[in-house]
Amino acid sequence: MPPSLSEPAPSRKPKLLEQVRELLRSRHYSFRIEEAYAGWIRRYILFHSKRHPAELDESYVSAFLSDLAVKGNVAASTQNQALSALLFLYKEVLQRDLKFIGNVVRVRRPPRLPVVLSAEEIRRVLAKLPGEYRLMVELLYGSGLRLLECLRLRVKDVDFHYLQIVVRDAKGGKDRRTILPVSVVPALREHLERIKAQHDRDLAQGFGTVYLPGALERKTPAAGREWAWQYVFPARQKSRDPRTGLEQRHHAGEKNLQNAVKAAVRKAQISKAASCHTFRHSFATHLLENGYDIRTVQELLEHKDVSTTMIYTHVLNKPGIGVKSPLD
């Protein structure tokens, strides 16, 4: 007998991946992490012939992670992300604490020296970069920013008076301050004037909102239209937020900057395997070459341990701690 029109339809229990996404959003994880975790959990389920994870114990987790290392030949960071996704699934979604996960074949990669460009090589690359991309790379090198830290910069986090940049919610969820190069200020001011005019046009057309972090969108929804919250490097085209469906102007795409850097390195005829992250490596190395204290560089780079920063002493022009070869 069909249910009465007055009776509420029985609510459908969300599927497992829907539950994962809902919990990630309630904990304010980024969309990037949401996509990555959902992808790993999907791969885990398919790896075990679509069996529900509630039926699988620690040995199945171990088998999946080991397969990534042996057959997948993934990086250590990739294997760690897969483990984090599965720990979130079991603990937060399935409400089950995994015991010790043993017999995992761990990825072991020997530490590699970072690729560093000389000051002259950096000038050559910058000369081959068009307008906005040159400005981005000048901040990667001049401020020691990571790729996404640069693209996610908001107008309010650039302090022209004190020549500082505040990097919000960086790696590890922390904020930090770094330097704003004096030489970049005129071009950056001019760039922001153009972006402000673009933002005003968006507002006039009924758009102009931007993604807001955490619970800010719920608490202060009007902030999304304010100039202070706009991205320093917005995308050229508006797009729909995959979570809210709102048409907004997100930050510039990372792939665009990566491709621009790759092309500039080739045009500058530099044979080193340089990427966007190379400019951060060069920032640290050149500061140490110029005599700055390693603790200062550690703080600017936001390294937890000074041993991470110490790797740059191995690529200085003066090897080691200034030891001169007997041949020289």
Side-chain angles (χ1 to χ4, degrees), residues 10-219:
S11 58
R12 179 182 67 85
K13 185 178 180 181
K15 294 182 179 179
L16 182 64
L17 288 179
E18 290 176 357
Q19 295 178 54
V20 170
R21 289 181 181 277
E22 286 174 7
L23 268 176
L24 286 167
R25 292 178 189 185
S26 69
R27 308 287 169 82
H28 306 300
Y29 281 75
S30 70
F31 183 70
R32 181 183 294 266
I33 292 295
E34 179 185 320
E35 288 291 287
Y37 276 25
W40 282 120
I41 292 167
R42 186 182 295 109
R43 283 182 63 173
Y44 175 64
I45 294 169
L46 292 175
F47 180 79
H48 291 300
S49 306
K50 298 185 179 180
R51 291 179 63 183
H52 196 285
E55 304 172 6
L56 309 176
D57 62 14
E58 291 80 0
S59 64
Y60 290 87
V61 175
S62 174
F64 175 68
L65 295 174
S66 295
D67 184 78
L68 289 177
V70 176
K71 294 183 180 178
N73 196 29
V74 300
S77 58
T78 303
Q79 189 186 46
N80 288 336
Q81 187 186 64
L83 174 59
S84 297
L86 296 180
L87 290 176
F88 182 88
L89 168 68
Y90 278 93
K91 185 176 181 181
E92 306 297 340
V93 182
L94 301 178
Q95 301 290 304
R96 171 179 157 194
D97 281 323
L98 291 175
K99 297 175 184 176
F100 175 72
I101 303 173
N103 301 319
V104 177
V105 177
R106 302 296 296 186
V107 178
R108 302 293 180 193
R109 293 278 190 272
R112 300 192 181 280
L113 291 178
V115 176
V116 172
L117 298 178
S118 69
E120 191 272 334
E121 287 172 328
I122 284 175
R123 282 193 293 270
R124 283 162 53 192
V125 173
L126 289 175
K128 300 298 181 182
L129 283 163
E132 187 178 85
Y133 293 126
R134 173 172 179 145
L135 189 54
M136 292 178 188
V137 173
E138 284 176 334
L139 289 179
L140 294 180
Y141 171 60
S143 305
L145 300 180
R146 298 179 177 94
L147 171 59
L148 281 175
E149 289 173 350
C150 175
L151 297 180
R152 289 172 176 168
L153 270 183
R154 310 270 184 161
V155 173
K156 67 182 182 62
D157 296 324
V158 179
D159 190 331
F160 288 107
H161 180 75
Y162 287 105
L163 295 174
Q164 291 181 342
I165 290 175
V166 180
V167 182
R168 306 283 183 187
D169 196 23
K171 195 173 180 179
K174 297 178 181 178
D175 294 351
R176 80 174 189 279
R177 291 183 186 275
T178 188
I179 50 181
L180 173 64
V182 177
S183 58
V184 120
V185 168
L188 187 55
R189 284 189 184 276
E190 185 179 332
H191 168 77
L192 287 177
E193 287 176 7
R194 292 195 300 271
I195 299 306
K196 177 67 165 62
Q198 175 182 268
H199 176 58
D200 290 340
R201 288 194 297 270
D202 285 348
L203 288 174
Q205 294 170 6
F207 299 102
T209 61
V210 70
Y211 165 77
L212 296 175
L216 189 62
E217 196 151 15
R218 187 181 70 253
K219 294 177 181 177

